């Protein structure tokens, strides 16, 4: 029988996240949040940080995306086999939902880093004989179902998660809540620190908030209030009757609705946003809270193509453990750099052909855009003026590769996929474009390594951080991006990449500015100044990867959030 025994005495921190991208074949993630959580776990192993991870099993994954001939997205369950990678633990806890027990059992996955240090990742599962049909599906569909299904999942993650940890014998001093989804864990802690009626001071809360705050750290990821989890108290009370004193909860989580971001802000002794701008926005949205900024980073070993990894390894054997040394990348030779790039690009060209039949030209630059297909990411910005785009391509040829899923209920996101497919057909013969279906971690690895230019066009200030441009930089792929999220901190114009809106110009002007940048700066440099392009590749590697890596991020979390 596998056990978590080996980890129990040396683990002091728990990290809870609705999704974690552990490896591409394990489909328990949807996008950026899960990829980040996976990079956190990988860096914790590298740095030997004593952390245990908790997430939902999500047996049916997020979804498999299919695109029909008209560009319409359809979704199919993305089942995966936990037993291929994980082992069920001999432990079970129950959480009462609607006054009946929902049983939860964890599966253990052990992530080992290259030098052998390991971290445990627990996947919570309710698909058990002990549960009725309705409860067995609660850990199947990531971000699926209605509001009630979502709240039940969050109860399982937060309340179920802390109970599983306790049942297994973990003795933890910090719970790190990755986004509001995990915030219900605080309710269990509140109950542990309930003040007996005879000791209460009139007018004060019935719980010892200071004790809870000491144990919780919270990372918020969403700069839009409407996108944050909020539930009606009627629903909450129906699912968790008499669980917590409602009056106190309303003081912590909002009077009208249960706002999980506010709950976590109120009960975490350490709060941070995922980039400096995002921390500022969060403080404007929630005045009165102290919000730190630990800007996201990505995991060097995961996101660097093998060819580049070998190149870096030959120069700096310890670069994965200490990506700061990549600051010396300015000394790399143009030829060795370009050879690595061509290897990664050839794999992308091969992948695009296998997926779509479209044959791209190795000699022309590839512009990549892959992210969640949703309004604020503005996937259509590049296509706003087709004639202009084609005119630019006739003078400075280029190709475009796109990918991304729209949430099944995001009709605007689905419509933008449909329009992109239509526009691709209209550009045929003028600009080669391909939309690759079913964007996931594996495809992201191919795209962020194989493109020449990585395009990022969010509507400011809605991109909390963004991470795919960081992955691109590990492979010498340059960014052309709106100044938002991480890019505000990373862009040195003409050195690490380019900004579409260097002066923070109005969003209506972004398409025109994008064309102007492509036409006068980016494409001429690619076609007529290869040495200048290589200099920028080195500028991006040196300046971006040495800072925007998850080793730096986790060292900061360790010293500032975990060792308070
Ligand atoms: C990195 C990544 C994301 C997040 O990218 P952003 O730039 O933050 O939009 C989403 N999905 C996958 C599969 C990724 O690898």
């Amino acid at each position: 029988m596998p056990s978590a025994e080996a980890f129990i005495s040396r683990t002091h921190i728990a990290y809870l996240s609705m999704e974690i991208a552990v490896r591409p074949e394990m489909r328990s993630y949807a996008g950026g949040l899960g990829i980040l959580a996976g990079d956190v776990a990988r860096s914790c192993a590298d740095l030997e940080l004593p952390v245990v991870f908790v997430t939902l099993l999500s047996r049916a994954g997020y979804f498999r995306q299919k695109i029909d001939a008209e560009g319409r997205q359809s979704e199919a369950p993305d089942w995966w086999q936990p037993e291929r990678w994980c082992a069920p633990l001999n432990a079970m806890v129950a959480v009462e939902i609607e006054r009946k027990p929902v049983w939860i059992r964890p599966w253990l996955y052990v992530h080992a880093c290259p030098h052998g240090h390991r971290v445990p990742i627990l996947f919570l599962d309710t698909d058990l004989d002990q549960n009725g049909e309705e409860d067995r599906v609660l850990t199947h569909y990531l971000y699926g179902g209605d509001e009630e299904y979502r709240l039940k999942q969050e109860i399982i993650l937060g309340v179920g998660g802390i109970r599983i940890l306790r049942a297994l014998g973990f003795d933890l001093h910090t719970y790190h809540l990755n986004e509001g989804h995990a915030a219900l864990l605080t309710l269990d802690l509140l109950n542990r620190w309930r003040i007996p009626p005879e000791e209460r001071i009139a007018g004060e809360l019935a719980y010892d908030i200071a004790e809870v705050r000491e144990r919780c750290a919270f990372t918020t990821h969403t700069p839009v209030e409407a996108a944050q989890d909020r539930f009606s108290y009627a629903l909450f009370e129906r699912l968790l009757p008499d669980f917590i004193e409602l009056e106190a909860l309303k003081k912590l989580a909002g009077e009208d609705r249960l706002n999980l971001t506010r709950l976590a802000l109120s009960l975490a002794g350490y709060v941070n946003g995922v980039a400096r701008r995002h921390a500022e926005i969060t403080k404007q949205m929630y005045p009165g809270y102290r919000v730190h900024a630990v800007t996201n980073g990505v995991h060097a070993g995961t996101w660097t193509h093998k060819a580049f990894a070998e190149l870096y390894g030959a120069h700096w054997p310890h670069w994965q453990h200490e990506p700061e040394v990549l600051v010396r990348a300015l000394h790399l030779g143009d030829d060795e750099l370009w050879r690595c790039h061509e290897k990664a690009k050839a794999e992308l060209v091969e992948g695009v052909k296998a997926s779509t039949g479209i044959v791209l030209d190795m000699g022309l630059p590839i512009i990549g855009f892959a992210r969640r297909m949703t309004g604020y990411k503005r996937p259509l910005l590049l296509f706003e003026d087709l004639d202009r785009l084609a005119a630019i391509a006739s003078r400075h040829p280029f190709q475009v590769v796109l990918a991304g899923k729209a949430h099944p209920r995001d009709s605007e996101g689905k419509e933008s996929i449909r329009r992109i497919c239509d526009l691709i057909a209209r550009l045929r013969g003028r600009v080669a474009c391909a939309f690759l279906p079913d964007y996931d971690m594996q495809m992201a690895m191919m795209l962020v390594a194989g493109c020449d230019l990585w395009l990022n066009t969010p509507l400011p200030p809605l991109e909390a951080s963004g991470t795919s441009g960081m992955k691109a930089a590990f492979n010498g792929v340059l960014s052309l991006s709106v100044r938002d999220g991480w890019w505000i901190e990373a862009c040195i114009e003409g050195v690490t990449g380019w900004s579409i809106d260097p002066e923070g110009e109005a969003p209506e002007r972004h398409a025109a500015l994008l064309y102007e940048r492509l036409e006068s700066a980016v494409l001429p440099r690619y076609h007529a100044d290869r040495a200048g392009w290589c200099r920028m590749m080195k500028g991006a590697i040196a300046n971006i990867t040495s800072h925007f890596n998850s080793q730096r991020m986790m060292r900061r979390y360790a010293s500032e959030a975990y060792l308070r």
Side-chain angles (χ1 to χ4, degrees), residues 308-324:
F308 280 95
E310 279 166 15
L311 176 67
Y312 301 154
H315 289 271
W316 310 286
H318 58 302
W319 72 279
Q320 292 202 24
H321 187 71
E322 198 184 7
E324 292 90 327

Side-chain angles (χ1 to χ4, degrees), residues 205-282:
L205 287 183
Y207 303 96
D208 192 341
I209 301 296
E211 294 285 354
V212 178
R213 289 173 57 88
E214 200 176 302
R215 287 165 177 78
C216 292
F218 171 49
T219 298
T220 173
H221 292 263
T222 313
V224 199
E225 219 177 330
Q228 294 169 348
D229 269 335
R230 283 174 300 178
F231 299 96
S232 77
Y233 282 110
L235 175 64
F236 175 80
E237 283 248 85
R238 180 157 66 76
L239 301 191
L240 288 183
D242 308 321
F243 193 82
I244 196 102
E245 292 191 12
L246 208 59
E247 213 171 298
L249 183 59
K250 287 183 174 179
K251 288 213 172 69
L252 299 165
E255 286 297 330
D256 305 329
R257 309 203 89 203
L258 173 63
N259 175 333
L260 291 180
T261 299
R262 188 176 284 284
L263 178 66
L265 285 169
S266 300
L267 290 175
Y270 179 92
V271 174
N272 84 289
V274 287
R276 288 212 286 272
R277 153 88 62 100
H278 177 230
E280 291 309 316
I281 299 282
T282 304

Side-chain angles (χ1 to χ4, degrees), residues 29 31-32 35 303 371 377 439-441 444 463 466-469 471:
Y29 68 94
I35 299 275
W303 296 105
R371 35 185 57 82
K377 303 257 193 188
Y439 183 46
D440 67 358
M441 187 178 182
E463 189 65 275
T467 53
S468 56
K471 302 168 192 167

Side-chain angles (χ1 to χ4, degrees), residues 23 66 81 154 169 237 248 259 348 364 472:
R23 52 191 303 152
K66 293 211 188 85
Q81 267 63 55
E154 297 189 4
E237 283 248 85
N259 175 333
L348 173 60
L364 298 181

